[in-house]
Amino acid sequence: MGFIPGIEKPVYGQKAPKWLREAENYTLYYQPSATWTDELFNSKLRYYPLIIGSTPDKHALDMCHKAGIKLLFYVNYMELLDTDRLIKGGREVYYEWAESIDHDSRDLKNHPDWFCIDDKGNLMRSAFAVNTNNPGLYGTCLHQKGLRDAAIQQIKMIMDAGYDGVFIDNSMSVPECYGDKFNKHQHVAGKTNTRMYEELQ
């Protein structure tokens, strides 16, 4: 891949580990802990060198490691759930959230300052929430230290549990937040919401 002359080449840090660089295939298995049975694993999952999943189930992790499979845990920080708004909107809390490691610390119902604010001063629902009619999923303001600390805390808990890494979904540019303009919360001066997300990653 080439780079445009005069534009600084991005620095991505250390190379990914060899097992990740050389994985010829992998699978995504976002299913509840209860579905990670021995039968399911042996019939559908044991032939992949790498699985990205959302279960915190120790049995699933042990099955993978015994078979020489790496298991990455799914995380997402550019949008988070407000379970109160979800339930008031007539939906149940879905298992990916309910089983997610340390989910309570990231529930937007407890952190009104973490919401991304649009250019009219309103809470910004995430694009995925709009597309799926999810009444509780909102974009986040990555300027908020509490949110960044909660993300790092979750990553530490995942790695301490023995996972081989994390899969950060939506690791991309994010909508701008105008929360500072409307006195909803403070921002780091001179940095966009996307820049703050990049720094967190």
Side-chain angles (χ1 to χ4, degrees):
M1 173 194 257
F3 293 95
I4 301 170
I7 301 296
E8 184 179 351
K9 182 178 177 180
V11 178
Y12 296 112
Q14 295 180 338
K15 283 185 178 180
K18 185 176 179 182
W19 59 261
L20 181 56
R21 295 194 316 267
E22 295 182 356
E24 293 185 6
N25 58 24
Y26 64 94
T27 191
L28 310 175
Y29 189 68
Y30 303 145
Q31 297 297 327
S33 291
T35 69
W36 284 73
T37 63
D38 292 343
E39 180 182 358
L40 179 281
F41 180 81
N42 289 321
S43 65
K44 298 193 180 212
L45 298 176
R46 66 178 316 214
Y47 304 103
Y48 293 97
L50 170 64
I51 299 171
I52 298 167
S54 58
T55 177
D57 186 72
K58 185 172 185 329
H59 178 64
L61 185 61
D62 290 344
M63 282 192 299
C64 288
H65 285 174
K66 186 175 179 183
I69 296 169
K70 304 292 187 183
L71 182 58
L72 275 61
F73 197 93
Y74 172 99
V75 296
N76 185 4
Y77 303 114
M78 56 79 71
E79 60 187 3
L80 290 174
L81 193 65
D82 179 324
T83 55
D84 279 355
R85 283 185 166 89
L86 182 74
I87 293 166
K88 285 176 186 172
R91 301 277 288 274
E92 293 183 8
V93 177
Y94 41 90
Y95 70 84
E96 294 98 333
W97 180 263
E99 292 190 352
S100 179
I101 291 174
D102 199 34
H103 58 86
D104 283 339
S105 74
R106 296 182 324 284
D107 194 326
L108 288 176
K109 72 178 182 182
N110 302 318
H111 305 285
D113 56 321
W114 293 4
F115 284 92
C116 186
I117 307 299
D118 69 17
D119 59 0
K120 295 179 178 59
N122 301 312
L123 302 182
M124 185 182 293
R125 291 176 66 206
S126 74
F128 182 75
V130 172
N131 291 336
T132 60
N133 196 27
N134 183 318
L137 198 59
Y138 288 82
T140 56
C141 176
L142 280 304
H143 287 269
Q144 305 312 307
K145 183 178 184 305
L147 171 55
R148 297 193 310 271
D149 288 348
I152 291 168
Q153 173 182 300
Q154 185 195 28
I155 298 293
K156 285 181 178 176
M157 293 174 77
I158 290 167
M159 298 310 293
D160 287 347
Y163 286 83
D164 299 292
V166 293
F167 174 83
I168 303 174
D169 199 5
N170 300 303
S171 180
M172 59 188 185
S173 297
V174 295
E176 191 51 62
C177 179
Y178 299 89
D180 57 343
K181 175 182 172 183
F182 292 97
N183 296 315
K184 304 280 189 181
H185 51 231
Q186 298 298 310
H187 285 184
V188 176
K191 295 188 179 181
T192 64
N193 204 27
T194 293
R195 184 66 198 154
M196 296 303 296
Y197 192 26
E198 290 171 348
E199 290 184 9
L200 172 62
Q201 294 174 59

